[in-house]
Amino acid sequence: MYICKPERSVVQTRVLLFVCAFVSLTLFFISTIVPVYKAFVEFCGIAAVLVSILLIVRYTLSEFEYAVYDGSFSVTKIVGNKRTVICQVALETAIDLLEKRDYDHLPSGEKAIIKYSLNQNPRASSYVFLCVFNGKRAMIEFEPNLQFVAILKEEIKAAKKNSESESV
């Protein structure tokens, strides 16, 4: 079993927290200064707080753990003490493992229909795991380290080779 847990970017986390707090507090402050649009600006402030909570839970409180074992690739989401397996995909269904920028340059016919973004940091240098899921192309975007990428590519090759030898 190989496990990869990406490091959190402290700078991006602090910037996210600061921007969320600043936007929310600024909107509520403006609602006290401009009484004509008070209800609308307070509504925007509440919407900003809700979006801030979503972003903070997604990018600050959540951690992801990527694992390769027994011919499968899995992603586990950790929030506090709760661990939830988000996805588990057989490596024999893999099409390729690409860097995100290489995936963006693919023709539209080769891109995935089903898309999952499982990055821990907002602006991460991520990879895309392309696979077939229920007969459709799917992509899982995640941010592994280079050692994990090499291991995953080797495991994909081994799984494809093993499935080809079983089908013959």
Side-chain angles (χ1 to χ4, degrees):
M1 173 185 263
Y2 301 100
I3 297 175
C4 176
K5 194 171 187 180
E7 292 184 28
R8 184 172 310 285
S9 171
V10 177
V11 174
Q12 288 181 6
T13 302
R14 287 182 180 165
V15 168
L16 177 69
L17 291 171
F18 175 75
V19 168
C20 288
F22 180 76
V23 169
S24 300
L25 292 174
T26 302
L27 285 170
F28 286 119
F29 178 71
I30 290 173
S31 73
T32 62
I33 294 175
V34 184
V36 177
Y37 300 109
K38 181 178 181 172
F40 177 72
V41 176
E42 283 180 348
F43 175 75
C44 291
I46 291 171
V49 167
L50 293 175
V51 169
S52 297
I53 290 170
L54 285 171
L55 291 174
I56 289 170
V57 168
R58 170 68 169 89
Y59 292 111
T60 303
L61 300 177
S62 300
E63 295 179 326
F64 288 97
E65 185 177 88
Y66 315 119
V68 176
Y69 60 95
D70 295 334
S72 66
F73 168 67
S74 70
V75 180
T76 304
K77 181 178 180 180
I78 305 165
V79 180
N81 291 330
K82 184 179 178 186
R83 300 174 67 87
T84 307
V85 176
I86 300 287
C87 70
Q88 187 167 357
V89 181
L91 292 177
E92 57 200 29
T93 64
I95 297 170
D96 204 356
L97 180 66
L98 305 166
E99 287 188 46
K100 177 70 167 131
R101 66 173 182 257
D102 294 337
Y103 173 79
D104 291 337
H105 296 333
L106 285 176
S108 62
E110 294 182 21
K111 290 190 177 181
I113 296 172
I114 304 167
K115 301 176 182 180
Y116 298 102
S117 176
L118 302 176
N119 288 339
Q120 183 170 296
N121 296 302
R123 299 184 50 85
S125 59
S126 57
Y127 283 79
V128 173
F129 180 82
L130 274 174
C131 62
V132 177
F133 182 72
N134 289 338
K136 296 180 182 174
R137 292 174 76 99
M139 70 166 263
I140 300 168
E141 182 181 347
F142 66 112
E143 52 177 315
N145 56 27
L146 294 177
Q147 294 85 5
F148 189 79
V149 169
I151 291 168
L152 186 56
K153 285 185 178 186
E154 288 177 19
E155 292 290 325
I156 289 171
K157 285 179 188 175
K160 285 184 178 182
K161 188 177 184 181
N162 195 16
S163 68
E164 287 175 2
S165 66
E166 288 179 1
S167 65
V168 173

